[in-house]
Amino acid sequence: MYTKEFILKEVNTIRDEIGHDKVNIFIEELYFNETTNELWIITEDRPDKSAIIGKGGWVVGKLREKLGLESIHVESYGDFLNKNYKLKLSKKTINNLNSDLIGLKNLQQAIEDKLANIYSFNFENYLNENEFEKAQNTEAVVALSGGIDSSFSLILAKKLGFNPIAVTVDPGTIILPKQFKNNIEKLCSALYVSHEYIKTDYSDVVEESFTGNVHPCGRCSKNTGELVKEYAKSKEIPIIIFGDMLATGSQCINLQEDSLYRLNLPASLSTGKQEIKSLIRKYDLSTFKGFGCPLLYEVHRKFPHMKKFSIQRILRETRSGALEPGEALDLIWSFYKI
């Protein structure tokens, strides 16, 4: 329906109208989904992507309005090469498991399907259009914090037939505020997933954090992982699922001990933040600006030098492709509004 020449002409017209400099833009490929009224523009490289998006997203926003589209996705070809490579590593890792678990077989299929439709893959449409076999027994425990990454993981685990249960480690409101609990209850109810809170005492983590010598996230993450692992072992459930975006490729699923596997579900599908937000928005969950929990907020306020360790985490997610540079900048900037 649309040609490269037409899109380039429209983009340059809009850039001229809003006072942007004239630049040469190169498009690698276009893909239009008539069913969803979405357009994917694949550019040769990131500078072409930036030129089509424009400052503050004005150019692509006006293009979407002018063409009457539901949405326009602009990606660089280099980013897709990276995503393609990571998906192939995930496929290799899952294949090597040679597992009979229904959820893992379905995940393997989802990885292959995303590879085959990498430019235009849409999680919501994919899950609506495909019916997966469901495991009779519970195959996975999902660590659910109420944030967007863990919520995405639970939705996907449910849809891909893992027959999951969700658990939330609850050290108190300084780490798990009420707003997150509201999301947890709303999502589990919508998905008909059983949920349990694991009450625990993280007072040692809090005390160490307020010395200014220890960043809380590492200790908190380690403790939470151990508690979820012990829960899964006690219930003889073979997989624990986390929303970590960084453990890609051969690290997206690994053997913990005694046939217990840890699966980083978003990472296994090379998922970006925008893909996650797009899927969870239909569940009407509350979203929270900034980075981290109330404890981290207080640590940043009392010990500003600790912000650099949080920034390192954000930059790691940006390098992995999980975060766009603009998203990363917004998160980093939120630290300096404290």
Side-chain angles (χ1 to χ4, degrees):
M1 180 177 180
Y2 298 107
T3 65
K4 297 177 186 179
E5 292 74 17
F6 173 78
I7 295 298
L8 286 172
K9 180 181 177 181
E10 293 296 325
V11 166
N12 282 317
T13 298
I14 292 170
R15 286 183 61 87
D16 185 59
E17 289 173 350
I18 62 179
H20 283 10
D21 294 336
K22 185 175 179 60
V23 293
N24 291 323
I25 302 171
F26 298 93
I27 294 177
E28 181 77 20
E29 190 168 340
L30 294 175
Y31 179 85
F32 177 64
N33 188 321
E34 292 188 37
T35 304
T36 60
N37 197 29
E38 294 177 286
L39 176 66
W40 278 261
I41 303 174
I42 314 303
T43 65
E44 283 194 349
D45 209 348
R46 292 188 71 89
D48 302 297
K49 173 181 175 178
S50 298
I52 292 175
I53 292 174
K55 295 176 182 177
W58 278 27
V59 176
V60 74
K62 288 185 174 294
L63 180 64
R64 182 187 64 79
E65 292 175 3
K66 191 171 184 179
L67 301 181
L69 298 173
E70 181 66 27
S71 61
I72 296 177
H73 311 271
V74 188
E75 299 287 353
S76 76
Y77 185 61
D79 289 342
F80 276 107
L81 288 175
N82 184 37
K83 185 177 293 187
N84 182 281
Y85 180 66
K86 289 179 179 178
L87 284 167
K88 287 181 177 178
L89 291 178
S90 294
K91 179 181 176 180
K92 177 183 175 182
T93 302
I94 298 293
N95 287 349
N96 287 342
L97 293 178
N98 197 27
S99 173
D100 291 328
L101 294 172
I102 299 297
L104 289 179
K105 287 182 176 294
N106 291 340
L107 175 59
Q108 180 180 344
Q109 185 62 53
I111 291 170
E112 291 175 354
D113 290 340
K114 189 171 185 181
L115 270 168
N117 301 279
I118 195 166
Y119 289 148
S120 58
F121 189 87
N122 179 294
F123 276 105
E124 184 175 356
N125 295 339
Y126 178 73
L127 296 174
N128 287 339
E129 294 167 3
N130 292 276
E131 189 70 29
F132 292 95
E133 181 184 356
K134 295 176 175 57
Q136 294 298 310
N137 300 319
T138 297
E139 292 186 345
V141 175
V142 178
L144 182 63
S145 68
I148 65 168
D149 297 342
S150 67
S151 296
F152 173 87
S153 295
L154 182 61
I155 295 166
L156 210 56
K158 174 70 174 182
K159 301 293 186 180
L160 290 178
F162 284 91
N163 191 12
I165 60 174
V167 298
T168 302
V169 174
D170 184 5
T173 55
I174 193 168
I175 293 176
L176 185 70
K178 184 178 180 181
Q179 306 95 293
F180 284 84
K181 287 188 173 182
N182 290 341
N183 275 357
I184 289 166
E185 291 161 13
K186 184 183 291 186
L187 184 60
C188 290
S189 176
L191 293 173
Y192 301 100
V193 169
S194 298
H195 173 264
E196 282 189 48
Y197 284 105
I198 301 175
K199 292 286 187 179
T200 190
D201 181 7
Y202 277 10
S203 56
D204 57 336
V205 175
V206 175
E207 289 171 8
E208 287 178 333
S209 299
F210 285 135
T211 65
N213 297 320
V214 177
H215 193 277
C217 291
R219 300 287 179 88
C220 188
S221 177
K222 181 180 179 181
N223 289 359
T224 298
E226 288 297 322
L227 287 168
V228 175
K229 181 167 72 174
E230 290 305 314
Y231 179 92
K233 287 169 63 179
S234 71
K235 302 289 185 180
E236 297 185 341
I237 298 171
I239 300 172
I240 50 177
I241 292 177
F242 291 86
D244 189 343
M245 307 280 283
L246 295 174
T248 56
S250 60
Q251 301 302 311
C252 69
I253 180 166
N254 57 74
L255 182 64
Q256 296 278 293
E257 56 183 73
D258 300 328
S259 299
L260 177 66
Y261 290 92
R262 173 172 175 142
L263 170 60
N264 296 85
L265 200 46
S268 71
L269 283 155
S270 192
T271 312
K273 288 287 188 186
Q274 290 306 315
E275 289 181 292
I276 290 175
K277 291 175 182 177
S278 178
L279 179 63
I280 69 169
R281 65 186 174 191
K282 66 174 287 188
Y283 293 91
D284 193 30
L285 303 180
S286 298
T287 56
F288 311 103
K289 293 183 178 180
F291 180 83
C293 67
L295 173 59
L296 185 61
Y297 178 94
E298 286 301 314
V299 169
H300 284 172
R301 188 178 64 82
K302 291 175 67 68
F303 308 104
H305 68 278
M306 283 293 171
K307 295 177 183 179
K308 70 178 182 180
F309 300 107
S310 299
I311 291 171
Q312 284 177 343
R313 171 76 184 197
I314 292 170
L315 293 178
R316 284 174 64 202
E317 288 202 9
T318 307
R319 288 194 299 272
S320 76
L323 277 175
E324 283 292 317
E327 295 173 305
L329 182 61
D330 288 341
L331 288 174
I332 293 170
W333 178 240
S334 72
F335 296 163
Y336 296 94
K337 294 181 179 179
I338 298 174

